[in-house]
DNA sequence: ATTTTGCGCAACCGATCGGCTTCGCATATA
DNA sequence: TATATGCGAAGCCGATCGGTTGCGCAAAAT
C-alpha cells in the first residue's frame, strides 16, 4: 500500500470524484451515476481516497455520504512550493546576470 | 500509455528527480548516483517525464542533460484552482449564512 | 585502432492497479 | 415478517508498473 496523495490523484476517475465531492457530499450510488463503472469500483476508489485522508465518510442510515476534506489538497500545493521557490531563485540569479551585464556595459 | 502529468508525479522517485532537476540539469548517470536503482531504471523514468513534456533533453557529446520544463508544473496548479474556487464559493455561502443569522438576531 | 564510457532499447518478472462478479450484512420498505 | 436497497469485502483477471539484466551504438579516451 503506497497510498500517498499523489498516487491517489494519479487516477482520472479519482480526480473526477474529488471534483464532484468538492461541490457536495455524495453517496457511492450517486457518484456511480456519473461514471460508466460499477458502484463497487467507485467504492474501491472511495476507500483509497479515504485512506489518503482526502475524504470523510458520514453514515446516515444505510447511506454513506463522502465529503471532501479540502484541506488535504494543500499538501499538493506545499509540494509545488518547492518549485515556485526554485523558480524565484532562478529569476533572482537571472536578475544578477542582467545586473552584471548592465554594469559591464558602463 | 496514460502518461499524463498526474501519473508522472505519482511515483516518488520521479518526484525526487523533478526536484533534483529543478536545481540544475543533469545526466542520467549523475541522477542515478542519488538513488539506489540502476541507471537504466532512471532512464525509464526520464522517458516518462519527457513524454509528459516535463523534461527537455539536451545532447552534449555522448552525454544527455535533462532539464526541467518548469512551466509544465503549472498544469497541476491549474487543476488545484478548481478547488480553490469551490472553497471560495463555500466561504461565500458561509458568509451568507452568517449574514442571515446576524439579521435574524435583530 | 582498441578500449572505456554514457546512453537507450528490449525482454523479462513479480507486484500492483482498476475493472469485474459474487457475497453477506444492515437498514429501509412492503 | 418478508423483500428491496445501499453498502463494503473478497476474489478473480488482464494490463500496467517499476525494477532487473543484457544487449548495441556512438563518443571519448587510451
Amino acid at each position: 500500500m503506497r497510498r500517498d496523495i499523489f498516487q491517489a490523484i494519479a487516477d482520472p476517475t479519482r480526480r473526477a470524484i474529488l471534483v464532484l465531492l468538492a461541490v457536495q457530499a455524495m453517496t457511492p450510488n450517486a457518484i456511480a451515476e456519473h461514471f460508466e463503472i460499477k458502484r463497487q469500483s467507485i467504492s474501491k476508489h472511495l476507500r483509497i481516497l479515504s485512506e489518503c485522508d482526502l475524504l470523510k465518510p458520514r453514515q446516515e442510515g444505510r447511506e454513506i455520504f463522502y465529503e471532501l476534506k479540502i484541506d488535504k489538497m494543500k499538501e499538493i500545493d506545499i509540494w509545488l512550493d518547492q518549485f515556485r521557490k526554485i523558480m524565484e531563485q532562478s529569476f533572482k540569479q537571472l536578475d544578477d546576470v542582467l545586473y552584471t551585464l548592465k554594469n559591464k556595459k558602463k
Side-chain angles (χ1 to χ4, degrees), chain A:
Chain A
M1 277 175 265
R2 221 166 46 203
R3 215 94 327 164
D4 64 59
I5 194 173
F6 293 98
Q7 192 262 342
I9 62 165
D11 182 78
T13 302
R14 283 198 288 271
R15 284 200 302 278
I17 290 176
L18 290 176
V19 172
L20 273 181
L21 298 183
V23 177
Q24 59 176 338
M26 293 172 80
T27 65
N29 266 323
I31 296 169
E33 284 173 10
H34 291 76
F35 299 91
E36 300 210 321
I37 59 177
K38 299 288 176 192
R39 192 229 351 131
Q40 288 90 331
S41 300
I42 297 290
S43 272
K44 261 197 184 182
H45 287 307
L46 293 174
R47 196 163 78 85
I48 290 169
L49 292 171
S50 299
E51 280 174 5
C52 291
D53 216 34
L54 279 164
L55 302 184
K56 192 178 70 186
R58 174 168 43 88
Q59 189 96 28
E60 208 154 294
R62 69 181 162 185
E63 291 180 315
I64 302 177
F65 287 83
Y66 286 86
E67 57 187 61
L68 180 65
K69 295 177 72 172
I70 205 158
D71 269 8
K72 193 68 177 180
M73 305 296 280
K74 282 183 190 164
E75 268 191 26
I76 305 166
D77 236 348
I78 290 167
W79 184 73
L80 287 177
D81 265 340
Q82 291 178 92
F83 298 93
R84 292 193 193 99
K85 277 177 190 142
I86 290 161
M87 257 206 308
E88 272 174 39
Q89 212 180 327
S90 301
F91 281 130
K92 200 175 167 299
Q93 284 171 3
L94 182 62
D95 281 346
D96 291 347
V97 171
L98 293 178
Y99 184 78
T100 309
L101 286 176
K102 195 178 154 192
N103 279 18
K104 277 193 181 160
K105 273 189 186 170
K106 280 187 187 174

